[in-house]
Amino acid sequence: MNKLLVIILCVLLPPLGVFVARGAGKDLLINIVLTIFFWVPGMIHGLWVATR
């Protein structure tokens, strides 16, 4: 999938962006927990996973 689209997904819906970038796994679980606590940590983690 296009990397720009994944980055946009990570900003709007961080768990969805991580799922598209990495699939279901520990990164997705970590991102869901961070997004539930507060949006910004989930978004930062999602961008980090998508761009590494």
Side-chain angles (χ1 to χ4, degrees):
M1 185 169 264
N2 190 2
K3 198 168 203 171
L4 180 64
L5 184 60
V6 173
I7 290 173
I8 292 170
L9 281 175
C10 285
V11 171
L12 298 176
L13 296 168
L16 183 61
V18 172
F19 178 74
V20 169
R22 296 281 181 206
K26 67 177 177 129
D27 286 330
L28 179 63
L29 204 60
I30 291 169
N31 192 269
I32 289 171
V33 170
L34 286 172
T35 303
I36 287 172
F37 283 134
F38 193 63
W39 191 265
V40 175
M43 184 178 61
I44 292 170
H45 178 260
L47 290 171
W48 180 69
V49 168
T51 57
R52 69 174 173 151

